[in-house]
Amino acid sequence: SESVLRAADEWREMKQQEVKMLLKSSSQAAASNARSKLLRVVMHDLRSPLLTVRSLSNMLTTLPKETTLGATEVGTSISYLESCASLM
């Protein structure tokens, strides 16, 4: 009787602790998943424009040294950069 009640109380407390642990671990997993998703989205959103900037800067560095800022090739590259920046 008393020992049965004590055992029932111990069992109830053990189950409550198990539920608390499950809730804690599931909320930690959800937070981790949310962080991972945020990082994936941010990295994707940054990667495309940065790759464009890198490609255009590589192209500009390959232009002959006598190319002026008013040259068509430079103007086209700047237009591409402006388009890329407007997407951000």
Side-chain angles (χ1 to χ4, degrees), residues 8-24:
D9 282 342
E10 288 174 5
W11 182 84
R12 182 181 48 79
E13 282 198 30
M14 183 179 69
K15 289 300 175 183
Q16 285 176 341
Q17 291 300 323
E18 286 178 17
V19 168
K20 285 180 185 178
M21 294 288 284
L22 284 172
L23 289 174
K24 183 178 179 181

Side-chain angles (χ1 to χ4, degrees), residues 45-63:
D45 289 350
L46 288 175
R47 184 176 36 242
S48 295
L50 290 174
L51 288 174
T52 302
V53 169
R54 186 182 74 185
S55 297
L56 288 171
S57 72
N58 287 341
M59 186 187 77
L60 287 172
T61 60
T62 62
L63 292 173

Side-chain angles (χ1 to χ4, degrees), residues 1-2 9-10 19 21 23-25 27 34-36 42-44 51 53 56 62-63 65-66 70 74 76 80 85:
S1 53
E2 256 187 63
D9 282 342
E10 288 174 5
V19 168
M21 294 288 284
L23 289 174
K24 183 178 179 181
S25 67
S27 69
R35 277 190 300 272
S36 295
V42 168
M43 290 305 294
H44 177 269
L51 288 174
V53 169
L56 288 171
T62 62
L63 292 173
K65 297 227 182 270
E66 60 273 0
V74 175
T76 302
Y80 291 150

